[in-house]
Amino acid sequence: VIAVTVEAALGSVVYALQQQHVYKAEALLLPPKAKDIQSMNVLVIQNTVEVDSNITGISTNAVYIKFKQNLNSRTLLKKFIQENGLMEVMAPMRTPETRDEDIYNGFAELIKLENVEGLTSLSIELNNSEIAAHWVNDLIEFVDKETIHQLVQNQRNSIANQIRNIEYAIGSKRQMAKQRREDKILRYKEASIIAMQLDIADRIDTTNVVQNNRLNITTTNIPLYYRGYRALNAEIEYLNNRKSDDPFISGLRDLQEQLALLRSIKFDQEKMNAVHIDQAAYPSNSPIKPNRRLIVSLATVVGLISGIFLAFFIEFVQNQSKKHSD
């Protein structure tokens, strides 16, 4: 019993001393503050001008959810590894047979994302505490910027679509205004010809006509040639010489105001954040693995139990041998 116990204890000590220390670098995260994404919601804050319903505000929780999704994105993790040159650090002894995907998957398995008392814990376990802390902080910064870039790009695309729709609406209004002006010129020309044939030079007072015919003046359609060819020709000349129909287009200025607002929007991504760091990761002096005391204690207990079992087993075998001898 003593021999087996001592052997197990000594063996566990040797095994524990051969194991590398593993350190845990952990950062605690919270959703971003309202001011961190304020410029992304400029269209919601400045609601005096009607904008496209597709351009909506985004909450801090929605931004935070997007950030955590990106932490698990293999595409972004690959980009992080490539931009920071971690391939050689993670696989210094790589061979031509070593696949890049295996390295990417190995890095993804190092990342632990957990909820801790209302906070989100992002941690990495490595045998080098400084590198672990460095990776955690750099990864948070990288994913933060990528998340903001994605969200801002979505807003820019929505704004670009709205600008394009307004430009189409303005172009359509201008085209129809020009067509209506040309149609109006044709009607006035026709009325002017009729007025000249009827020798109506000046406007005819239609009050007596309406009263004599007992017509409702609000519903009576007075012929254009009653204006007289002098007034009609003057209007035709002004319509032909008009340089722009914009002042006469209903709703055009409102559309131009919306267009000016949308084009003036700027996103300052440097002042935007998708996460609030409650506690950054720092190098730890205390390894979490291996627990040498636990290894030696368990091995000693197992050795003691094994020694006792072995002793009873040997005694049992010896007793059986004696019985057969007798």
Side-chain angles (χ1 to χ4, degrees):
V1 173
I2 295 174
V4 173
T5 303
V6 171
E7 185 178 354
L10 292 176
S12 64
V13 170
V14 174
Y15 172 80
L17 292 175
Q18 289 179 342
Q19 300 302 306
Q20 286 187 328
H21 286 170
V22 176
Y23 299 89
K24 180 179 180 180
E26 180 183 39
L28 300 178
L29 310 175
L30 285 170
K33 299 180 180 179
K35 66 178 182 179
D36 293 331
I37 59 171
Q38 184 174 357
S39 61
M40 201 180 302
N41 293 323
V42 63
L43 291 178
V44 179
I45 298 172
Q46 193 170 359
N47 57 4
T48 55
V49 178
E50 182 182 356
V51 295
D52 188 2
S53 59
N54 292 327
I55 305 176
T56 57
I58 185 168
S59 66
T60 55
N61 286 332
V63 174
Y64 192 47
I65 290 173
K66 182 65 175 176
F67 169 80
K68 290 193 289 186
Q69 288 176 346
N70 285 339
L71 280 175
N72 295 319
S73 170
R74 294 302 175 91
T75 301
L76 289 183
L77 291 181
K78 291 179 182 179
K79 185 176 180 181
F80 173 75
I81 291 173
Q82 293 169 355
E83 290 187 359
N84 290 274
L86 301 183
M87 294 292 287
E88 298 300 329
V89 178
M90 296 184 62
M93 306 299 293
R94 62 184 302 188
T95 63
E97 290 76 19
T98 305
R99 298 192 310 165
D100 291 346
E101 289 299 324
D102 294 335
I103 300 176
Y104 297 142
N105 292 336
F107 182 78
E109 292 174 356
L110 291 176
I111 300 172
K112 305 297 181 183
L113 201 61
E114 301 173 327
N115 292 323
V116 181
E117 299 179 355
L119 301 174
T120 300
S121 168
L122 175 65
S123 62
I124 290 179
E125 297 179 3
L126 284 177
N127 55 12
N128 188 312
S129 61
E130 293 185 359
I131 293 179
H134 186 66
W135 284 4
V136 170
N137 294 328
D138 285 354
L139 180 61
I140 293 172
E141 181 181 0
F142 173 80
V143 176
D144 183 11
K145 291 182 179 180
E146 288 292 326
T147 302
I148 291 298
H149 176 74
Q150 292 175 2
L151 294 173
V152 168
Q153 194 61 39
N154 291 339
Q155 290 293 80
R156 283 176 175 165
N157 291 338
S158 298
I159 292 173
N161 290 335
Q162 175 68 350
I163 289 176
R164 185 167 55 252
N165 292 337
I166 293 176
E167 289 175 342
Y168 288 158
I170 291 175
S172 176
K173 282 181 174 291
R174 283 174 172 165
Q175 184 177 359
M176 293 308 300
K178 180 181 179 182
Q179 186 64 50
R180 290 191 180 99
R181 178 165 57 86
E182 293 175 352
D183 293 344
K184 192 174 184 180
I185 291 172
L186 291 176
R187 291 197 303 270
Y188 280 17
K189 283 182 177 180
E190 182 179 293
S192 176
I193 293 173
I194 295 174
M196 292 179 67
Q197 291 178 352
L198 297 177
D199 197 22
I200 302 175
D202 299 311
R203 179 183 294 275
I204 296 178
D205 186 3
T206 58
T207 304
N208 294 331
V209 176
V210 173
Q211 291 177 349
N212 293 336
N213 290 279
R214 296 180 181 179
L215 300 174
N216 187 347
I217 193 170
T218 59
T219 59
T220 302
N221 187 11
I222 305 301
L224 280 174
Y225 57 81
Y226 271 38
R227 299 186 183 184
Y229 60 80
R230 290 180 181 175
L232 290 170
N233 288 338
E235 290 195 50
I236 291 172
E237 182 179 0
Y238 275 104
L239 289 173
N240 281 323
N241 294 331
R242 181 182 293 174
K243 295 181 179 180
S244 174
D245 293 315
D246 287 3
F248 307 93
I249 300 176
S250 176
L252 179 65
R253 298 310 183 195
D254 291 337
L255 290 175
Q256 289 177 331
E257 184 179 2
Q258 294 179 37
L259 193 61
L261 170 62
L262 292 172
R263 285 175 173 169
S264 67
I265 294 174
K266 305 295 181 184
F267 295 102
D268 190 357
Q269 297 187 43
E270 296 298 326
K271 297 181 180 180
M272 300 170 66
N273 295 105
V275 64
H276 175 71
I277 302 176
D278 186 65
Q279 176 183 296
Y282 60 90
S284 174
N285 296 324
S286 302
I288 60 171
K289 298 177 184 178
N291 190 334
R292 293 174 176 171
R293 181 177 298 177
L294 179 62
I295 292 174
V296 174
S297 299
L298 288 176
T300 303
V301 172
V302 172
L304 177 61
I305 295 173
S306 300
I308 295 173
F309 174 79
L310 181 60
F312 279 111
F313 180 75
I314 293 173
E315 184 179 1
F316 172 76
V317 172
Q318 290 176 348
N319 291 334
Q320 291 297 321
S321 299
K322 289 181 179 180
K323 288 180 181 181
H324 286 297
S325 299
D326 295 338

